[in-house]
Amino acid sequence: MIEKLQIIHPEMALFAATCIVLLIGLSGRSALRSACAPLTGVALLAAAWLGLQSPGADSELMQGMPFPGLLPYAKTLIALIGLLILPMLAGTVDRSYEKAVERGEVYNPMRSTRGEFYAFFMLSLIGVMLCATADDLIWLFLALELTSLPTYIMVAMSTSRLRSQEAGVKYFFLGAFGAAMFLYGFALLYGATGSTFLSEIREAMAEPGGAGPMAMLGLVMVIVGVSFKIAAVPMHFYAADVYQGAGTTVAAFLAFAPKAAGFFTLLILLGAVGWTHGPNGDALPPELRVILWVIAALTMTIGNTLALLQTSVKRILAYSSVAHSGYMLVGLIAGPGAGSIASNGLAAMLFYLLCYGVMTTGAFAAIAALERRAADGGREEIDSIEDLRGLCRVYPLVGWSMVVCSLSLLGLPPLLGFFGKLMLFTSAISAGEIVLVVVMGLNSAVAAFYYLRLAGYPLLEQRHDEAESPTLTPAPGRRLAACVAAVGVVALVVFISPLQRASHEATQLTPLPAVVEVKPASEAEVARR
Amino acid sequence: MSLWTHIPGAFSTLAATGVDAGVVDIEMGRPLFLLIPALPALAALLCGLYWALGVKSKFPAWTTVAALAGSFAVTLVAYFEIAAPGLTHVVHGFRWINIAFGAAGGERMLFVADFSLYIDSLTVLWMLFVTGLATLIALYASEYMSDDVGPGYCRFFFAFSLFVVAMACLVMGDNLLMLFLGWEGVGLCSYLLIGYFFKKPSAVNAAKKAFVMNRIGDLGLMIGIMLAFLHFGSLRYEEIFAQVAILQQDGGDLAWTIKAIPYLLLVGAIGKSAQLPLFTWLPDAMEGPTPVSALIHAATMVTAGVYLVARMYPIFLLTPESLTLVAWIGGLTALVAATIGMAQYDIKRIMAYSTVSQLGFMFLGLGVLTSVGAAFHVFTHAFFKAALFLCCGAVMHGFAGQLDLRKLSGVQFMKGWGIVGVAMFVGCINLAGLPFTAGFFSKDMILAEAFTTPGFTALGVIALLTAGITAYYTFRVYFRVFLGPQHFEPGDELHGHDEHDHDDSHGDDGEAKTHDDGHAHDFHPHPPGWAINTVLVVLAVGSILAALAYVFPRETGGWVKGLISTSSAAGAAHHDHEASFFGLGDPHKVMYYVSGVIALVGIAIAWWLHLAGRTTAATSRADAIKQKIGPVGRWAERKWYFDEIYDFLFRYPLLIFSHIFYLFDKLVIDGLVDLFGRSPRSVGAGVRPTQSGGLQNYAMGMAGGLAFIIVVAWLVVWRMSS
């Protein structure tokens, strides 16, 4: 039994660190308090390493799971993107309070939020990892909520301004609404199949007539409910308001963690349904395919068109993250394909998640690295696209990170985003989803409009007024995160083949064992006899 | 990059996927040959690195020369291992594209393209002169571009190396998609290099013109490639040739979509090789630095069209009418370009029109079924035209950008210009087709075949006339610039006199302008240094020795013939053996005398008009003739108004349309976009002030969305069950 814990070793490491961070975050000694972030970093490194050691497809423990090879890829990916986001969290909370303490104010643990901030950050990541590990509906629900609940609080505490608290509350209520939706879906699914275990649900669905209306309604509700996590239409409304209200650093985290959790959930649940329907026997059941199709097409289109006329960089990036969810859904629709890497839509989705995590973190980190004079005389994070003017000349590292990451989000070859998108395209073509590919292509073209603005303002425009222009924040970690992400966007291109192969192996679907038992006749049939 | 890691496993992949069927005996080649594109690619990367590091020496040039020389050496190995014994090898690099697709329920199709090389004698012939000339011209450019040492120098050699990579893809690719990749790649490099002096508006315009005109051709090529895939289910040469062979045996009617393929490919070839009606970009492309003109716009890239036709010869032979069109396009282009060349004063432009004209000859050769003649002419032309361009470049370099033949005279006898003069003379006799030169033999093969093939006599006469005109305008340049009284006026780029920026000193129109006399007095032409002279000597000797390839080795009827006859371009010529040149006998024999005499007459006229009794640089006896024929000379000088006609027919209507569309876009589309874009924002702004209002709205939206999705799902189920 104890060896079963192997599958949650990374979570355990993170949780241990979470407990320590909670404690030392309250310490009266500032040196110990400031050890929170490094400790989180060490824990994430350990989690990444343990994630690599996670039991894979060849392990006994994973037999019966739909995706036996998923864990090493998923956990390492989550830990590493977390590690990328971590340096940019520096200076998000307690900045003014720590200054006051330095000036001689008496330290009051009640006013310090540092420990809980990093603890919530790790708890949320634990939630994402648990989503990928789940083999049971209850577990899945708890994991999803573990991902989201800390983020509600992180949003509220991310700045001292009122609008962050407003965003946090808004996010919480709407999140609860979404959670209710997919919980209802889970209940229906349990009602239809009689089990909460994914492996049993899978077998029940594979039986003739197993995917009945109730199970389908349940799945539809789950998909729509989880759409909240991935900010897909029709659950995308909150994204722009919440991202804008939250501090930039937390917005970056929101753009990745809940989204990853949502996609892992969809992957696992749809894996339980299987891509065995349709005329060629390689598609989702038609009703699921159609609603995912509609959601994907609407999500990318609405996301991109809403981003077009925005002038707030955070809102642009929020809508861009909506649009990217639409792209990734295409991979889910395409399914596991015929065996080659290029036709594996699930691998494309996972690979794109990696690309997206790096690119979007880089873009957020670049704007988080800058601040400007606020109306009340203090310093505030920049938000307007005007603040990006001439950045490449004044702060070349930050400016170029912004340019490279936006161009990669746009999908310009030879950057990382291009290869991610290419894989989605090839898998969708292989699955015969030509219309969806066209929609996606058109959307990529539309998206160029605002991504090129994000790249053009730093690169080509001139600054107007030096005094009013933004300056670097005192937290160098944010610059570091931006640069690392930008370098990753360029350098990971070299490792595309192994990464794609890894995502391909992670998404190998266990074939269902042939149904040998004869199903006992149902009551209705008995009555007919 | 990472994709190269697949190379070691190449054979197993190929065997596993079972792509080794074909009619010709095709063997797996050694991965060594992948170095031919890889070495220049490495050089391009290094030049980019030098640029980033801010290298301010001639390092980029030496890197490029070394890499290209390496490529040439590997090509030589390929020649001795593959081409000389008449084999065909395929070298597998990596799987490039592998997509299975098909409509739901329909037939699944596989689209597979490998990064593989198809090496046969045609490929090797092309790569020999591409890599060889590229090496020499890079050496030449190391000196020629020395005024730009720094970022510009890195940029130049980056694009130069990249061009060779793209050309290698084009020529050596084992499928049409690789050819297309290279095709676009050389187009891009050509664009970058024509626009090298990007501060000069005329250079930028020329670059754009070349790019746009090539797009027209590329569209044809692309549709042709798509049709080929649709019909043959593959883009690999060996599979296409196998299927074409079957079609040829079966005979019978072909689908019009197959018949259209050669015509569409021809459109591409016309664009790239500057044939009628898409030839006007090539003369303007002379805005680029001269080494670029020599390599890309004379010797190699522009022959890509000829290569395409030669490579896909089996498809062209399937519909012989398409070859008739090839012949007529070639013949007419040769004549029109030659007549324009007669009337130009800018020596580089004369050479450009002569390139267009000679490419016309090559197309004519392909059209009259002498692929050997065409390939031989490509080969000899590459040498002597490169030599001619480089001589013009040396003159331009030495006389501060002066290219007007009315302002230069007697250069041959100036101190330090002897080698340039001799190399120019060698190039000129080749281009003019003086007997026993390489150019004479290769042109003769095409001329003779035009008279041998039934139905092409009229074209033969046109070609003979063109040959005469060619001899005249070639020697017009030589007699005006290199012989006669010594005189010069420098151009407006005063190299080496002060440190001013090369790019900025140009006038607006890029034509060499006269300067006030003050400049001329302190100006001393600086003769070429060792690099330029060495290259010129090698090219001149090469041009002379190329003639031997017509005669030796005797068993195969000449070196080029031996190479071509073992490749897919070996044409099945149906000659009329009874053919006679206007009753004088076998055209193959008579043509030696006829074309020799015509060349000599052309040269003699040039001598009489432009050298005999000429005392100044600016005037000659030809001026009087120009007076007499009135406006015709001016028409020719203005290129028969081709540009103006195109402007009238295409550019202005397109401009008008674009203005209409712009207005439509501005008023209707933008309005709609604004409407769609702004409405959510205004709605958002409306509900934002009250916190609870926003929340409820969002929740309403989410619930409504759920309802909508459930309805959609229900509709799907309902439609399926009914």
Side-chain angles (χ1 to χ4, degrees):
Chain A
M1 208 50 210
I2 191 84
E3 74 273 4
K4 230 186 156 182
L5 286 178
Q6 274 179 29
I7 63 173
I8 53 164
H9 272 169
E11 288 90 332
M12 286 161 71
L14 279 179
F15 186 70
T18 306
C19 296
I20 301 174
V21 163
L22 267 178
L23 287 175
I24 65 171
L26 296 174
S27 159
R29 291 174 55 196
S30 80
L32 211 50
R33 282 204 301 279
S34 56
C36 282
L39 190 66
T40 310
V42 171
L44 282 170
L45 262 183
W49 185 77
L50 289 170
L52 271 182
Q53 321 293 321
S54 292
D58 45 358
S59 161
E60 280 283 308
L61 294 168
M62 301 305 293
Q63 300 314 312
M65 303 279 279
F67 296 103
L70 182 62
L71 292 193
Y73 184 90
K75 296 198 174 174
T76 316
L77 165 70
I78 295 161
L80 287 181
I81 301 283
L83 206 55
L84 182 61
I85 296 175
L86 177 69
M88 84 189 256
L89 293 180
T92 305
V93 290
D94 278 2
R95 197 163 121 199
S96 52
Y97 184 64
E98 288 287 343
K99 268 206 191 111
V101 171
E102 251 170 55
R103 277 197 304 269
E105 194 173 308
V106 179
Y107 177 71
N108 175 5
M110 294 300 287
R111 287 188 58 189
S112 171
T113 47
R114 182 189 292 264
E116 41 210 89
F117 185 74
Y118 285 102
F120 283 142
F121 171 67
M122 280 190 280
L123 280 174
S124 184
L125 286 177
I126 293 175
V128 185
M129 289 185 182
L130 287 176
C131 281
T133 323
D135 65 348
D136 181 299
L137 289 182
I138 311 271
W139 177 336
L140 194 54
F141 174 74
L142 290 176
L144 272 171
E145 286 314 285
L146 184 58
T147 310
S148 287
L149 283 171
T151 58
Y152 303 145
I153 307 165
M154 284 169 80
V155 169
M157 67 202 267
S158 60
T159 68
S160 53
R161 288 169 203 282
L162 206 58
R163 55 156 211 249
S164 292
Q165 286 152 36
E166 178 193 325
V169 172
K170 219 183 242 184
Y171 187 34
F172 171 69
F173 278 117
L174 296 174
F177 189 49
M181 244 181 234
F182 62 74
L183 190 58
Y184 190 29
F186 283 173
L188 286 174
L189 212 50
Y190 170 65
T193 58
S195 172
T196 59
F197 282 105
L198 287 171
S199 49
E200 288 175 15
I201 292 175
R202 191 155 183 248
E203 281 162 25
M205 297 281 242
E207 280 169 27
M214 189 151 131
M216 281 304 141
L217 184 63
L219 279 168
V220 169
M221 305 235 7
V222 172
I223 290 172
V224 177
V226 172
S227 292
F228 180 84
K229 306 282 179 209
I230 62 173
V233 171
M235 314 293 272
H236 66 287
F237 296 103
Y238 74 93
D241 283 11
V242 172
Y243 286 28
Q244 196 183 21
T248 312
T249 54
V250 173
F253 185 62
L254 289 187
F256 175 72
K259 213 160 257 218
F263 275 107
F264 283 123
T265 306
L266 287 179
L267 179 68
I268 288 174
L269 278 172
L270 293 178
V273 182
W275 286 264
T276 53
H277 303 256
N280 291 326
D282 61 350
L284 288 167
E287 51 272 55
L288 291 188
R289 189 190 143 254
V290 168
I291 63 159
L292 277 174
W293 201 104
V294 171
I295 291 178
L298 282 178
T299 303
M300 44 187 137
T301 312
I302 289 181
N304 280 326
T305 43
L306 281 180
L308 283 183
L309 292 167
Q310 295 295 338
T311 53
S312 150
V313 184
K314 271 152 91 180
R315 286 187 88 90
I316 290 179
L317 288 176
Y319 287 125
S320 128
S321 89
V322 171
H324 282 272
S325 286
Y327 300 151
M328 283 187 264
L329 283 173
V330 173
L332 275 178
I333 297 170
S340 70
I341 295 185
S343 69
N344 188 342
L346 306 180
M349 191 266 287
L350 279 194
F351 179 64
Y352 201 81
L353 192 61
L354 164 76
C355 305
Y356 164 79
V358 177
M359 312 183 284
T360 205
T361 305
F364 273 113
I367 52 171
L370 297 164
E371 59 181 17
R372 54 169 298 139
R373 207 160 56 81
D376 60 8
R379 307 294 291 175
E380 65 173 5
E381 288 171 328
I382 64 159
D383 190 20
S384 164
I385 194 164
E386 294 288 324
D387 290 332
L388 295 179
R389 280 177 180 279
L391 218 51
C392 288
R393 222 154 292 146
V394 191
Y395 304 118
L397 283 181
V398 176
W400 278 102
S401 301
M402 188 71 203
V403 171
V404 169
C405 290
S406 325
L407 291 180
S408 179
L409 282 164
L410 160 61
L412 198 78
L415 299 173
L416 193 58
F418 166 73
F419 291 97
K421 220 175 245 179
L422 184 70
M423 207 174 163
L424 284 173
F425 273 113
T426 56
S427 66
I429 293 172
S430 302
E433 298 285 359
I434 305 297
V435 182
L436 200 53
V437 167
V438 172
V439 172
M440 192 172 159
L442 287 176
N443 264 292
S444 301
V446 171
F449 183 82
Y450 61 88
Y451 286 130
L452 286 179
R453 270 204 309 170
L454 284 185
Y457 268 84
L459 195 57
L460 307 172
E461 300 284 336
Q462 300 286 340
R463 286 192 148 197
H464 286 319
D465 179 6
E466 280 302 324
E468 284 296 311
S469 292
T471 52
L472 289 178
T473 54
R478 302 187 176 182
R479 260 162 283 161
L480 178 73
C483 295
V484 171
V487 169
V489 160
V490 178
L492 283 182
V493 170
V494 181
F495 304 103
I496 275 184
S497 306
L499 286 174
Q500 289 184 340
R501 219 172 306 132
S503 60
H504 182 55
E505 278 157 21
T507 50
Q508 290 305 313
L509 198 57
T510 319
L512 271 171
V515 187
V516 280
E517 308 168 52
V518 180
K519 203 181 162 194
S522 66
E523 284 171 34
E525 282 167 345
V526 173
R528 217 176 295 142
R529 279 180 207 153
Chain B
M1 298 235 250
S2 71
L3 301 169
W4 290 94
T5 54
H6 291 295
I7 296 169
F11 299 105
S12 55
T13 348
L14 209 78
T17 48
V19 275
D20 42 6
V23 271
V24 204
D25 271 345
I26 291 179
E27 297 168 44
M28 296 305 304
R30 292 201 281 152
L32 168 76
F33 301 123
L34 288 169
L35 281 179
I36 299 174
L39 283 174
L42 183 70
L45 276 180
L46 284 174
C47 289
L49 191 68
Y50 296 152
W51 172 81
L53 295 176
V55 167
K56 285 200 175 50
S57 64
K58 287 194 172 182
F59 235 61
W62 303 136
T63 312
T64 309
V65 171
L68 294 178
S71 265
F72 178 63
V74 179
T75 312
L76 276 180
V77 175
Y79 169 72
F80 287 111
E81 280 191 9
I82 302 172
L87 304 173
T88 301
H89 279 197
V90 167
V91 183
H92 186 76
F94 54 86
R95 172 122 312 168
W96 180 19
I97 291 175
N98 178 11
I99 305 177
F101 64 93
E107 195 185 346
R108 304 290 269 188
M109 283 184 88
L110 269 177
F111 181 75
V112 180
D114 286 339
F115 191 97
S116 301
L117 308 180
Y118 183 90
I119 305 180
D120 69 351
S121 39
L122 183 69
T123 313
V124 172
L125 173 67
W126 239 267
M127 282 319 290
L128 274 177
F129 71 77
V130 168
T131 52
L133 284 176
T135 312
L136 289 173
I137 294 173
L139 183 63
Y140 175 98
S142 71
E143 181 182 329
Y144 187 87
M145 302 303 294
S146 55
D147 291 314
D148 281 15
V149 166
Y153 206 65
C154 297
R155 186 159 55 89
F156 178 85
F157 283 100
F158 165 77
F160 197 94
S161 308
L162 197 64
F163 167 76
V164 181
V165 179
M167 197 67 199
C169 281
L170 194 164
V171 174
M172 302 178 75
D174 96 319
N175 52 56
L176 281 171
L177 201 66
M178 284 264 304
L179 181 135
F180 191 70
L181 174 78
W183 195 270
E184 294 300 312
V186 292
L188 170 71
C189 295
S190 154
Y191 169 78
L192 291 176
L193 287 167
I194 297 171
Y196 175 77
F197 300 115
F198 58 83
K199 290 183 184 159
K200 205 165 107 181
S202 60
V204 174
N205 283 337
K208 274 195 278 193
K209 186 171 178 182
F211 204 69
V212 170
M213 285 226 145
N214 269 301
R215 287 280 79 65
I216 302 173
D218 294 351
L219 180 68
L221 176 64
M222 203 149 71
I223 300 175
I225 291 178
M226 288 173 187
L227 278 184
F229 175 70
L230 219 59
H231 267 284
F232 304 120
S234 168
L235 292 179
R236 307 186 62 228
Y237 293 141
E238 38 173 312
E239 286 175 24
I240 292 178
F241 295 156
Q243 297 206 29
V244 168
I246 295 170
L247 282 176
Q248 196 134 40
Q249 278 173 1
D250 292 353
D253 277 345
L254 296 171
W256 70 269
T257 41
I258 296 189
K259 284 189 180 161
I261 295 173
Y263 293 101
L264 289 163
L265 296 182
L266 181 61
V267 173
I270 286 171
K272 194 60 88 193
S273 290
Q275 297 295 292
L276 273 176
L278 297 178
F279 73 98
T280 54
W281 66 269
L282 185 59
D284 286 14
M286 298 302 127
E287 291 290 343
T290 309
V292 171
S293 310
L295 179 69
I296 301 186
H297 303 119
T300 56
M301 183 187 85
V302 288
T303 66
V306 182
Y307 174 79
L308 176 67
V309 178
R311 175 50 81 206
M312 301 311 286
Y313 222 43
I315 288 192
F316 280 84
L317 287 172
L318 217 48
T319 42
E321 307 84 43
S322 64
L323 281 174
T324 312
L325 183 64
V326 172
W328 274 99
I329 286 177
L332 290 179
T333 309
L335 181 64
V336 168
T339 51
I340 298 175
M342 266 196 328
Q344 300 297 311
Y345 291 105
D346 179 325
I347 55 176
K348 229 176 128 182
R349 277 182 187 256
I350 295 174
M351 290 307 152
Y353 281 108
S354 125
T355 304
V356 175
S357 171
Q358 297 302 307
L359 287 165
F361 266 102
M362 298 165 202
F363 272 75
L364 174 61
L366 289 169
V368 298
L369 293 173
T370 170
S371 49
V372 177
F376 189 33
H377 201 51
V378 168
F379 185 73
T380 58
H381 175 256
F383 277 98
F384 66 71
K385 189 52 73 62
L388 286 170
F389 262 112
L390 295 183
C391 289
C392 294
V395 171
M396 185 183 176
H397 192 62
F399 291 90
Q402 185 58 272
L403 284 170
D404 193 328
L405 56 73
R406 289 167 295 191
K407 287 165 188 155
L408 293 165
S409 179
V411 172
Q412 171 97 66
F413 305 110
M414 292 181 191
K415 193 164 176 291
W417 289 89
I419 293 178
V420 177
V422 171
M424 185 77 184
F425 180 71
V426 171
C428 284
I429 56 174
N430 269 291
L431 179 56
L434 204 70
F436 310 115
T437 57
F440 168 74
F441 289 127
S442 56
K443 197 184 281 181
D444 257 16
M445 287 176 86
I446 296 169
L447 288 173
E449 219 58 48
F451 285 105
T452 319
T453 316
F456 288 97
T457 312
L459 266 178
V461 175
I462 289 179
L464 266 182
L465 176 64
T466 309
I469 297 174
T470 308
Y472 164 75
Y473 70 68
T474 310
F475 271 86
R476 170 171 171 255
V477 172
Y478 184 72
F479 289 148
R480 289 294 286 254
V481 176
F482 285 84
L483 299 183
Q486 293 187 26
H487 175 85
F488 64 83
E489 287 172 33
D492 49 8
E493 303 165 11
L494 294 174
H495 289 303
H497 281 239
D498 49 34
E499 291 297 320
H500 72 202
D501 191 355
H502 190 103
D503 304 347
D504 288 334
S505 61
H506 281 275
D508 280 337
D509 55 3
E511 296 280 325
K513 282 192 207 157
T514 36
H515 255 246
D516 43 328
D517 285 335
H519 268 137
H521 292 309
D522 352 316
F523 178 80
H524 300 287
H526 61 101
W530 69 269
I532 289 183
N533 277 334
T534 312
V535 171
L536 289 180
V537 168
V538 172
L539 282 176
V541 172
S543 305
I544 294 170
L545 292 184
L548 296 178
Y550 181 68
V551 191
F552 299 106
R554 285 192 169 280
E555 318 75 83
T556 56
W559 182 68
V560 175
K561 193 170 182 182
L563 284 178
I564 296 301
S565 56
T566 56
S567 78
S568 65
H574 307 289
H575 297 306
D576 180 1
H577 290 289
E578 305 297 310
S580 165
F581 183 77
F582 298 115
L584 289 173
D586 180 6
H588 292 101
K589 297 211 173 67
V590 178
M591 196 49 65
Y592 291 134
Y593 305 105
V594 176
S595 77
V597 168
I598 283 185
L600 287 171
V601 168
I603 295 171
I605 294 174
W607 173 79
W608 171 249
L609 289 180
H610 293 287
L611 183 63
R614 182 163 63 86
T615 50
T616 62
T619 54
S620 73
R621 283 187 185 142
D623 298 341
I625 296 181
K626 206 183 158 194
Q627 289 291 324
K628 285 210 181 85
I629 56 172
V632 180
R634 199 172 65 241
W635 293 347
E637 196 186 336
R638 298 294 306 274
K639 314 163 219 169
W640 304 118
Y641 296 94
F642 266 102
D643 279 335
E644 285 76 4
I645 293 168
Y646 287 168
D647 278 356
F648 179 74
L649 283 182
F650 302 109
R651 202 169 132 230
Y652 294 133
L654 279 176
L655 272 179
I656 292 168
F657 272 123
S658 73
H659 279 293
I660 294 171
F661 285 136
Y662 174 75
L663 278 180
F664 181 78
D665 205 61
K666 191 88 189 152
L667 297 176
V668 183
I669 309 280
D670 276 11
L672 283 177
V673 169
D674 282 6
L675 198 68
F676 282 120
R678 281 183 209 285
S679 46
R681 214 157 60 138
S682 48
V683 169
V687 293
R688 251 241 210 87
T690 51
Q691 183 188 320
S692 58
L695 198 62
Q696 282 159 7
N697 269 306
Y698 291 170
M700 275 300 291
M702 286 157 66
L706 176 67
F708 168 73
I709 298 271
I710 291 179
V711 167
V712 168
W714 180 75
L715 277 176
V716 172
V717 176
W718 176 71
R719 239 193 80 191
M720 281 198 330
S721 56
S722 67

